Amino acid sequence: MTLRLTVNDQRRRVETDPETPLLWVIREQLGLTGTKFGCGAGVCGACTVQLDGKPVQSCSVPVGDVGRQPVTTIEGVDGPVAEAVRRAWLELDAAECGYCQPGMIVAAIALLRRKPHCTDKDIDDALRGNICRCGIYDRIRAAVHLAARKLER
Amino acid sequence: MPETPLLGRRSILRGAAVATTGLVIGLYVPERGRAAGRSEPLAPNAFLRISPENEVTVVAKHVEWGQGIHTTLAMMIAEELDADWGQVRVVPAPADPDLYANLIFEAQVTAGSNSVRNSWEQYRRAGATGRAMLVAAAAQRWNVPAAEITVDQGVVRHSRTGRKATFGELAGAAATQPVPTDVPLKDIGRFRLIGTQGVHRLDTPSKLDGSARFAIDVTQPGMLTALVARSPRFGGRVASVDRAAALRVPGVRHVVQIPTGIAVVADTFWAAKKGRDALDVRWDDTGAETRSTTDLVTEYRALLDRRGDIARKDGDAERALAGAAHTITADFEYPYLAHAPLEPVAVAVRRTRDGVEVWTGEGSVQGAQEGAAELLGLTREQVTVHSVYAGGSFGRKDGTTLEAVEILRAIGGSAPVKLVWTREDDLRHSFYRPMYVHRMTVGLDRRGDITAWHHRIVGQSIFPWEPVNGVDWVSVDGAGNIPYDIPNILVDLHTTQTGVPINTLRGTAGAHTVYSVETMLDDVAARTGRDPLALRRQLMSRDPNTKQIEILSIAEADRPTVFAEFPRQRRTLELAARRAGWGSRLGRGRGRGLAVHYGFLTSVAMVAEVTAHRETFRVDRVVCAVDCGIAVNPDIVRSQIEGSVAWGLSIMLDGAITLDRGVVQQSGFHDYRVLRMDQMPKVEVHIMPSSAPPKGVGQVAVATVAPAVANALFAATGRRVRRLPFSAG
Ligand code: FES
Ligand code: FES
């Protein structure tokens, strides 16, 4: 069936089975491959996008359930928080293979919007759903703090 | 240690000789891109191009899967070229082993933590050659002596006449210069990039905005997606298949049989998955592995009572044990492990006019090319391999390309196809770090000094092709080369056979051997009332390289590097201990533990601090000292060690693949748990100053994590765990 979606501020029409996970519609039909497949079961966070501003695992959302809620992917995140996060990540080189990073960054942006002054515990709670198999969590944590400091200025 | 060769053992010495005698220049193709003309790029060799637009392009012969090798290779060229870091970019090398072979393996392969080491001389020389040609061109143009010309951050200058030019301005003229064959390299004291802080990775930006392209992201017009139904048991075969239901799923285009199973090829991932779910396959388990983990453990344990092939023998450990005042003995169990890189295996392939094109993250670019050519009856040149970013590999992506080529062949090359593994596929149908059991028996004299050390290991061999005295050194690395001065040492090995496919995994051998060694040493310290640091320092006060060792079952070529250069390993231990504040008081319920290891020619020492609660514990801090030769990019070294800490903790806390009558029981990150953010300790990495050539850092530090933490937990609680993972109880 035909569905209408708003993705990264653009209206898109897709022809799809409504049961298809949002992840695959984003990647294959809309060609936005920044959002990653890691488990397909909602437990790794690689597929994290913002749905109406909140981080969700797009592999676990049937596209038919999205409705009018705007979807924001790694390609579409912007604004001062996103900017601060990217600058902090660059400064600390907080990426190795980089495969977890789109999901990690989308989740970190959501955290900092909600809690600009976050503690280690806040970061752990907000990002524990995002697996980094390269294991550079300590660096990512430092990057979130750095982004928070940049936003204070 | 030793290499982890993928193509049979190769001589380190031979590789090193090639790299240091300048013969590598012979591999260059100076002719290429050297057509005269001002607008031509300068391409003095296969690794470097300088465009008239002033862009320096480095061709990376090693695959980037997160270890930072693209950046590191580029730094080596930029250093000798005196380029500005901002003008440097990297492209992956095409498959061309004549130009891009790993000089240690003599094949175009990324593996074994030797990428920087084998390229160290070659890449710097490539940069120095380019620099010399730029200087020659400037000298000619300005009519001044070349010796008066300087190069700094991408600018060529003649200060007496005040002239200057960018690389781009000189590229065309430089391309017409003869290629010098014997350019000098910088003295390490003159490095401006290598070893400095703040040289940022070149791959970070594209990894932050979703534009970095991994194999799973490759799209081509009309590309189909394939999922494969594989035998639930290793070695099982398709007995029969009913394709009808799968073919009825909308979007499914083909259901084809390939050697590894039945491929369902569809318009989208989701259609392929639904098609595969609908597929009805019967498997023939004749010849398949049907044992359970418990069966294997029982069989392995039975072998612990029998003598195996000798990996190392000095003195007479059995006799010394018989005469010891006290003995301590303990058995250890280590399960199969899966790599589970976050990007599951994905490979894209399509037919071109006269061959095929492949996109893969696998480390053996050469293997992918040759394998595809052989399978399709093509020449090597007809197979184009795009070596794209891998979303982690850790050994997992080795040899994964051909299955996609099989699918392309089975559908007659009718459409581009992308093979994707789901997470469940990845955990259930992989190759694994082998399962092992160990027994350690240590003899003490009346004063508590160690007189005998016997370490017996049982498990499969990952590199069975050229054993020495029946021993694959990779099975015993970290046990066979303990640096400790003990008079009688025996290390023996039972090599087992199972139907479970195996491979290296980040930190391969050390991740089991070092756990047994280093926790046993702490047990000795506890039993004899000694401090674990003092005990190790005492045991490391003599150079193991000078010890008479009767049997050491390692390839002759690896023999000279089996132990660290004395006393650098002990110094590494002392540095870690000092930085961690060894000996200072910790609060209640807290403990500190340490471990050391030498592998991939690098020494690491680690101190972990834990806080124990009633049933659980938390790792608070890990301090690591590493002696890896020159750290080309110290921050990348740190990052690799930080990641190794997480990797080691994953293995220790939860990593286990288990079999139930031959079927892997784990199917996702819910039951194959890996470390998460809230479990991650603070990590400090201290790099030992060194002027030695770079060594391996990608995996060596994995080995010390679990024993350091286990020793810390023991210090805090007296609880000793000898069966991994800890969650197994
Ligand atoms: S792919 Fe969605 S959570 Fe893992
Ligand atoms: S950077 Fe590789 S998974 Fe996080």
Side-chain angles (χ1 to χ4, degrees):
Chain A
M1 64 188 273
T2 308
L3 293 172
R4 277 168 226 280
L5 298 172
T6 307
V7 179
N8 298 339
D9 293 330
Q10 289 185 349
R11 314 275 298 224
R12 308 288 294 258
R13 287 167 120 218
V14 290
E15 198 57 45
T16 182
D17 167 3
E19 289 298 306
T20 308
L22 174 60
L23 168 67
W24 295 104
V25 173
I26 292 172
R27 285 179 55 84
E28 297 183 333
Q29 281 172 276
L30 304 181
L32 297 168
T33 54
T35 304
K36 302 304 186 200
F37 166 63
C39 68
V43 292
C44 79
C47 65
T48 308
V49 298
Q50 290 176 10
L51 197 58
D52 209 5
K54 286 192 263 315
V56 298
Q57 270 78 61
S58 64
C59 69
S60 303
V61 178
V63 66
D65 291 359
V66 173
R68 291 157 176 270
Q69 303 172 86
V71 178
T72 311
T73 70
I74 185 68
E75 291 91 347
V77 283
D78 59 8
V81 177
E83 185 54 24
V85 165
R86 285 220 176 87
R87 286 214 324 265
W89 252 251
L90 276 175
E91 226 166 278
L92 299 183
D93 275 318
E96 282 197 343
C97 82
Y99 197 77
C100 69
Q101 296 300 343
M104 201 64 94
I105 285 171
V106 168
I109 291 169
L111 164 68
L112 285 167
R113 287 209 178 118
R114 192 163 47 82
K115 276 201 169 173
H117 305 283
C118 51
T119 61
D120 275 355
K121 169 108 174 50
D122 295 330
I123 297 171
D124 288 355
D125 290 346
L127 299 184
R128 75 171 309 282
N130 291 76
I131 289 173
C132 174
R133 209 40 191 139
C134 296
I136 53 164
Y137 295 115
D138 198 24
R139 193 168 278 250
I140 294 169
R141 212 188 263 145
V144 178
H145 284 305
L146 180 61
R149 284 203 301 280
K150 286 182 185 299
L151 285 165
E152 272 173 23
R153 283 183 222 133
Chain B
M1 140 155 159
E3 301 305 313
T4 50
L6 292 180
L7 304 165
R9 258 179 200 287
R10 309 277 180 168
S11 150
I12 297 183
L13 285 183
R14 203 166 43 194
V18 170
T20 49
T21 54
L23 288 178
V24 286
I25 295 298
L27 298 176
Y28 294 174
V29 259
E31 297 78 19
R32 277 191 196 176
R34 276 205 61 230
R38 299 188 95 65
S39 57
E40 289 301 316
L42 167 61
N45 50 60
F47 309 104
L48 168 63
R49 287 200 299 272
I50 301 174
S51 72
E53 291 72 39
N54 204 29
E55 208 170 44
V56 172
T57 301
V58 170
V59 183
K61 68 175 187 176
H62 289 294
V63 177
E64 178 60 69
W65 46 48
Q67 79 281 43
I69 192 63
H70 278 192
T71 303
T72 308
L73 292 173
M75 283 175 76
M76 301 196 286
I77 284 190
E79 178 69 65
E80 294 289 344
L81 191 60
D82 281 313
D84 182 70
W85 187 239
Q87 72 186 136
V88 180
R89 58 190 279 271
V90 187
V91 296
D96 191 340
D98 292 340
L99 299 176
Y100 300 113
N102 177 324
L103 299 176
I104 293 170
F105 293 143
E106 296 170 7
Q108 193 173 346
V109 168
T110 303
S113 278
N114 64 20
S115 298
V116 179
R117 190 153 61 91
N118 91 89
S119 312
W120 171 239
E121 190 86 20
Q122 185 180 43
Y123 269 67
R124 284 184 305 141
R125 211 168 281 287
T129 305
R131 184 189 191 277
M133 291 167 79
L134 291 165
V135 168
Q140 201 170 60
R141 183 178 290 178
W142 300 333
N143 202 12
V144 300
E148 292 179 6
I149 289 175
T150 58
V151 188
D152 185 30
Q153 292 181 53
V155 181
V156 184
R157 273 198 182 80
H158 185 252
S159 45
R160 198 157 48 77
T161 56
R163 293 200 230 226
K164 60 175 185 177
T166 64
F167 289 0
E169 287 161 358
L170 291 168
T176 66
Q177 296 292 324
V179 181
T181 51
D182 194 18
V183 288
L185 297 178
K186 280 185 187 175
D187 226 40
I188 60 168
R190 292 185 47 233
F191 287 162
R192 288 158 186 234
L193 285 173
I194 291 177
T196 62
Q197 307 296 330
V199 180
H200 287 288
R201 287 176 69 129
L202 297 170
D203 55 345
T204 308
S206 74
K207 289 176 173 176
L208 307 184
D209 62 11
S211 64
R213 199 168 64 147
F214 298 86
I216 202 169
D217 301 329
V218 172
T219 18
Q220 289 288 321
M223 181 170 263
L224 304 176
T225 298
L227 265 64
V228 176
R230 301 176 184 82
S231 166
R233 292 190 170 83
F234 302 108
R237 292 172 191 287
V238 175
S240 66
V241 55
D242 181 351
R243 300 161 206 242
L247 281 165
R248 273 199 301 275
V249 172
V252 171
R253 303 278 162 193
H254 311 271
V255 176
V256 289
Q257 185 158 352
I258 57 169
T260 47
I262 305 292
V264 178
V265 189
D267 292 340
T268 62
F269 173 91
W270 199 244
K273 182 161 183 322
K274 286 177 98 169
R276 190 176 67 172
D277 290 347
L279 197 62
D280 189 3
V281 192
R282 298 252 191 110
W283 301 98
D284 172 4
D285 281 340
T286 321
E289 177 58 77
T290 54
R291 286 173 288 182
S292 299
T293 295
T294 46
D295 303 327
L296 292 174
V297 170
T298 308
E299 290 174 31
Y300 282 26
R301 293 193 75 100
L303 291 169
L304 287 176
D305 298 327
R306 303 220 305 261
R307 191 192 248 218
D309 296 312
I310 296 180
R312 171 170 177 179
K313 181 176 189 300
D314 13 354
D316 188 342
E318 280 158 338
R319 209 172 72 192
L321 278 172
H326 310 277
T327 57
I328 309 178
T329 184
D331 293 351
F332 300 80
E333 288 177 29
Y334 304 97
Y336 285 108
L337 294 173
H339 311 74
L342 196 56
E343 178 199 26
V345 172
V347 178
V349 49
R350 75 174 182 129
R351 189 155 92 173
T352 58
R353 203 137 44 88
D354 62 349
V356 293
E357 209 174 352
V358 173
W359 289 262
T360 180
E362 95 157 82
S364 177
V365 173
Q366 180 173 354
Q369 188 189 41
E370 286 171 358
E374 196 185 315
L375 194 62
L376 300 174
L378 301 171
T379 63
R380 211 163 59 69
E381 292 72 23
Q382 287 173 293
V383 179
T384 304
V385 180
H386 302 280
S387 176
V388 289
Y389 288 144
S393 174
F394 317 112
R396 177 64 182 93
K397 286 172 184 167
D398 296 350
T400 52
T401 305
L402 290 197
E403 191 179 40
V405 180
E406 290 279 9
I407 298 169
L408 183 77
R409 181 167 78 158
I411 64 166
S414 56
V417 58
K418 178 164 63 184
L419 164 69
V420 177
W421 289 55
T422 65
R423 180 57 55 195
E424 182 173 351
D425 298 342
D426 175 55
L427 292 169
R428 294 214 147 143
H429 307 284
S430 187
F431 34 51
Y432 306 86
R433 197 291 306 268
M435 181 187 119
Y436 297 93
V437 303
H438 295 196
R439 173 166 296 159
M440 299 214 52
T441 313
V442 174
L444 307 171
D445 65 16
R446 255 172 249 295
R447 288 188 324 219
D449 286 335
I450 302 175
T451 54
W453 179 274
H454 180 194
H455 193 163
R456 179 165 288 161
I457 295 174
V458 181
Q460 284 164 273
S461 156
I462 301 173
F463 298 112
W465 308 288
E466 293 175 43
V468 179
N469 303 326
V471 173
D472 167 9
W473 185 265
V474 173
S475 300
V476 300
D477 186 47
N481 58 337
I482 50 168
Y484 303 122
D485 183 23
I486 296 167
N488 303 289
I489 296 178
L490 176 64
V491 179
D492 62 341
L493 171 73
H494 287 283
T495 298
T496 57
Q497 308 286 336
T498 81
V500 183
I502 53 170
N503 194 25
T504 54
L505 175 147
R506 188 181 197 180
T508 303
H512 58 106
T513 56
V514 177
Y515 188 85
S516 299
V517 169
E518 293 294 302
T519 58
M520 183 46 106
L521 214 49
D522 266 41
D523 287 349
V524 170
R527 170 77 81 93
T528 58
R530 297 178 193 195
D531 171 69
L533 173 65
L535 175 63
R536 283 176 179 78
R537 288 187 62 206
Q538 180 209 327
L539 290 171
M540 290 167 93
S541 56
R542 278 216 346 232
D543 183 356
N545 290 293
T546 61
K547 197 176 184 207
Q548 279 297 331
I549 299 174
E550 205 178 311
I551 300 175
L552 198 63
S553 302
I554 190 168
E556 215 28 66
D558 293 332
R559 182 67 183 78
T561 53
V562 71
F563 297 111
E565 187 196 323
F566 187 78
R568 293 193 69 94
Q569 193 176 358
R570 196 185 70 207
R571 296 243 169 88
T572 312
L573 167 67
E574 289 162 352
L575 177 63
R578 195 163 62 241
R579 296 304 182 116
W582 186 266
S584 65
R585 286 180 65 95
L586 287 171
R588 246 182 59 125
R590 305 197 61 215
R592 208 181 260 130
L594 60 79
V596 301
H597 177 48
Y598 166 76
F600 309 97
L601 278 60
T602 290
S603 293
V604 285
M606 220 171 246
V607 177
E609 282 173 22
V610 305
T611 303
H613 305 293
R614 201 185 300 263
E615 295 293 324
T616 62
F617 67 96
R618 184 186 163 84
V619 186
D620 304 313
R621 176 180 179 228
V622 172
V623 179
C624 182
V626 53
D627 180 21
C628 57
I630 292 170
V632 176
N633 185 318
D635 195 52
I636 290 178
V637 171
R638 276 195 291 273
S639 191
Q640 285 286 291
I641 305 279
E642 291 162 23
S644 297
V645 170
W647 189 263
L649 285 172
S650 287
I651 290 174
M652 166 185 194
L653 298 174
D654 286 310
I657 289 289
T658 53
L659 306 174
D660 178 18
R661 280 159 295 163
V663 178
V664 171
Q665 292 177 289
Q666 290 69 27
S667 63
F669 286 124
H670 60 287
D671 54 9
Y672 189 76
R673 287 191 306 249
V674 298
L675 200 82
R676 289 176 182 270
M677 180 75 86
D678 56 341
Q679 298 168 289
M680 184 72 193
K682 299 277 180 217
V683 182
E684 278 170 42
V685 180
H686 303 284
I687 301 171
M688 297 260 289
S690 173
S691 56
K695 324 284 193 231
V697 295
Q699 27 184 356
V700 59
V702 170
T704 43
V705 180
V709 171
N711 286 340
L713 187 67
F714 179 73
T717 65
R719 179 172 162 230
R720 179 55 83 194
V721 177
R722 298 196 180 91
R723 184 169 161 223
L724 260 53
F726 275 43
S727 62

